[in-house]
Amino acid sequence: MQNATVFSPASAARLLPQVFDDTSDIPDLPRDVEPWSLRAPHSATGDPKHIEQISACLEKVRTHGGWRWPGKPVVFLSDTHADAEGFLRSLVAAGVIRRAAAQNGERAGITLTDFGRSATVLVGGDCIDKGPSNLDMLDALAEVIATGVDLHLLAGNHDLRLRLAVDALRGPRSPLTDHLFVRMGRKLLPALREVFDRYVTQADIAALPDEDTCAARLVPPADWATHFSQAAKGQLSDKAIRKEINKLHEKRGQFDRKVAKTGLSARQLLAAALKCHDLFFTPHGPYAWFYDRMDVVARIGSLLFVHAGLDDSMCTLLADGGPDAVNARYRAEAERASFAFYFGPLANLVRTKYRASDCKLTRAGVDRLHRIGIHMVVQGHVNNHAGQRLLAKQGLLHLEGDVTLDRASRSLEGLPGIGAGATLIFPSGDVIGLSRDYPRAKHFAPERITASWS
């Protein structure tokens, strides 16, 4: 079996965007195009069985009416993880923005290119956590939005964690939520340090009780596991309850070490967490727009954009009510998020890796999607080191678009410098995967697959 499309290097190269950046030289951006290789593990799995599964997915599309492509170009990027420079470089690499050199000590200006004005930009979740500066990342996102770009923002699991961690400290104490700040907040601690430095006042700290009381509020009480086991019955299986208790014990030591690195006292840390509510979740907070703009799925033609993936119940909801119904339900339940919500099908949209413990996607759910004309999921959440990957997951075509943009992840995983990359999807049915970590752009055109596929 071959894995090439009908491919013309000259015509495919014309799909590569022009790059406009007067502020820095973005290294390693591919300027040549190659067919998307399904035999290469970095682009698919290389496993013949999986190649057959992708072929079966494409054949199913043909039997359900074929592809519907976007009416204008779509640029997808995801998992910027608090790295504003990785985010901006990715938009430059995709030809969406131009950055002018800074003058007189001011920040570099951002303007839309002609291509940027013609395109839809989808940011696929996980804007926060891990990277150099959460607030700088959100400020850069706001600056890009201010250009008037057609930009849609999706929720990621790290974005959800901030909401859950903050809500857990504000509501009444409960065995179901007492552990959530430790459970969700460990990776958020650098963000809380930023919030403390920029926004917390002495009056905010003075309004809180003494250090010991604040320290006790941040962590679950000593008898939490016993009460949690009782409270979680009916919401989680016994196995899941034991797993959650063990995970909390594991994360507690990590949490204490991470808190010490922030240099914040318990009072200061609690003040920063509560300040996040004012910043992000009150109507006039300076970052309220971030969650207000956030959906969890977006459909464009035959493509469904989501941070992680799906299960059967979400396939049914999509079939019955479309993306609006899914987004409305996610928004309503996230605003009063419970522990059961985090492990349920709505949060599964931002969490799943199709593990045995995740909500199930079966052939019935996939068939339901095909019948309503959704043939491929474009996702983030699973980061790759050599550009985008194309996979069949649970019998449904998935394009993984997280190309490891943020410096924190790159440093931990042995990648140099700052990431840059995006997935471009054109009305012509051409899909281009760009990443500075792979020397050529990957080209996929599923309607022009050669006969040797079948």
Side-chain angles (χ1 to χ4, degrees):
M1 175 183 293
Q2 308 243 345
N3 59 348
T5 61
V6 176
F7 178 74
S8 162
S11 61
R14 286 196 290 271
L15 297 170
L16 290 181
Q18 284 187 277
V19 175
F20 303 97
D21 193 357
D22 301 331
T23 65
S24 63
D25 178 30
I26 302 177
D28 307 324
L29 280 182
R31 302 316 302 164
D32 297 309
V33 185
E34 70 179 24
W36 200 302
S37 172
L38 301 181
R39 296 191 182 281
H42 61 73
S43 294
T45 66
D47 184 331
K49 180 179 75 172
H50 293 158
I51 296 172
E52 293 288 349
Q53 290 171 354
I54 293 174
S55 296
C57 291
L58 294 172
E59 183 58 35
K60 182 157 281 194
V61 175
R62 296 187 184 102
T63 64
H64 285 85
W67 293 89
R68 286 199 305 115
W69 296 101
K72 62 180 184 176
V74 174
V75 175
F76 178 82
L77 59 97
S78 188
D79 296 79
T80 58
H81 282 302
D83 197 324
E85 184 63 17
F87 168 64
L88 293 173
R89 288 188 183 199
S90 295
L91 291 177
V92 168
V96 172
I97 63 170
R98 177 173 190 155
R99 294 198 295 176
Q103 304 207 358
N104 301 322
E106 296 183 359
R107 291 180 59 186
I110 295 173
T111 55
L112 281 183
T113 65
D114 288 343
F115 177 74
R117 281 187 285 273
S118 74
T120 293
V121 175
L122 270 157
V123 179
D126 280 1
C127 287
I128 59 176
D129 247 358
K130 296 185 181 181
S133 173
N134 293 269
L135 299 183
D136 284 354
M137 171 60 217
L138 296 183
D139 291 342
L141 179 58
E143 190 173 357
V144 170
I145 291 170
T147 65
V149 65
D150 178 19
L151 185 145
H152 300 263
L153 183 62
L154 299 182
N157 56 310
H158 289 260
D159 309 316
L160 176 59
R161 284 177 182 175
L162 175 63
R163 182 187 287 275
L164 290 171
V166 170
D167 283 352
L169 295 179
R170 295 186 67 256
R173 300 208 72 158
S174 161
L176 292 175
T177 58
D178 276 342
H179 69 304
L180 288 182
F181 186 68
V182 174
R183 173 80 158 80
M184 307 290 176
R186 177 176 57 89
K187 293 181 180 179
L188 293 164
L189 292 172
L192 296 180
R193 177 77 225 201
E194 291 179 53
V195 168
F196 178 82
D197 290 340
R198 193 183 294 191
Y199 288 103
V200 173
T201 67
Q202 285 300 317
D204 294 324
I205 298 171
L208 296 177
D210 62 81
E211 180 72 8
D212 288 345
T213 303
C214 290
R217 186 66 184 89
L218 295 173
V219 299
D223 60 353
W224 168 79
T226 299
H227 293 293
F228 175 77
S229 296
Q230 297 167 352
K233 283 189 180 299
Q235 297 191 24
L236 296 176
S237 68
D238 289 345
K239 181 180 178 181
I241 289 171
R242 290 193 299 271
K243 182 178 179 181
E244 188 68 10
I245 291 170
N246 291 337
K247 186 161 286 193
L248 191 280
H249 289 320
E250 171 194 328
K251 289 181 179 291
R252 177 62 194 272
Q254 298 171 348
F255 180 80
D256 291 341
R257 291 191 293 272
K258 291 280 189 179
V259 169
K261 285 185 178 181
T262 69
L264 297 176
S265 69
R267 287 182 89 204
Q268 291 170 332
L269 185 58
L270 182 57
L274 296 177
K275 181 62 69 173
C276 281
H277 177 263
D278 298 338
L279 298 177
F280 289 95
F281 304 115
T282 59
H284 302 294
Y287 295 105
W289 59 268
F290 178 59
Y291 285 91
D292 287 345
R293 290 182 69 102
M294 196 178 285
D295 286 325
V296 70
V297 297
R299 178 180 180 178
I300 304 178
S302 297
L303 311 175
L304 187 79
F305 298 85
V306 63
H307 181 67
L310 296 156
D311 80 316
D312 283 356
S313 67
M314 290 298 101
C315 295
T316 298
L317 187 55
L318 280 165
D320 293 344
D324 286 348
V326 177
N327 289 327
R329 188 172 297 180
Y330 179 88
R331 189 182 299 273
E333 294 198 23
E335 287 178 357
R336 55 178 187 273
S338 65
F339 185 70
F341 166 80
Y342 186 70
F343 286 98
L346 287 161
N348 188 73
L349 293 162
V350 303
R351 295 180 58 249
T352 189
K353 290 184 179 177
Y354 300 113
R355 299 159 291 205
S357 58
D358 292 328
C359 299
K360 298 296 181 286
L361 177 65
T362 69
R363 183 181 300 275
V366 173
D367 286 346
R368 198 167 289 118
L369 291 181
H370 280 300
R371 286 197 296 272
I372 62 171
I374 293 174
H375 302 316
M376 183 164 72
V377 167
V378 183
Q379 63 162 104
H381 192 49
V382 180
N383 71 304
N384 296 302
H385 292 177
Q388 295 80 349
R389 296 212 308 166
L390 190 68
L391 300 158
K393 299 182 183 182
Q394 315 302 98
L396 179 65
L397 203 60
H398 284 64
L399 192 157
E400 294 179 347
D402 175 359
V403 294
T404 319
L405 297 180
D406 70 282
R407 276 167 273 187
S409 295
R410 294 177 69 82
S411 176
L412 284 173
E413 298 173 22
L415 296 174
I418 301 170
T423 303
L424 284 71
I425 303 164
F426 293 92
S428 58
D430 294 282
V431 180
I432 294 287
L434 290 171
S435 169
R436 65 150 292 198
D437 298 314
Y438 189 71
R440 288 167 295 281
K442 301 173 185 180
H443 174 253
F444 176 56
E447 289 185 296
R448 300 197 295 281
I449 299 295
T450 59
S452 55
W453 270 76
S454 55

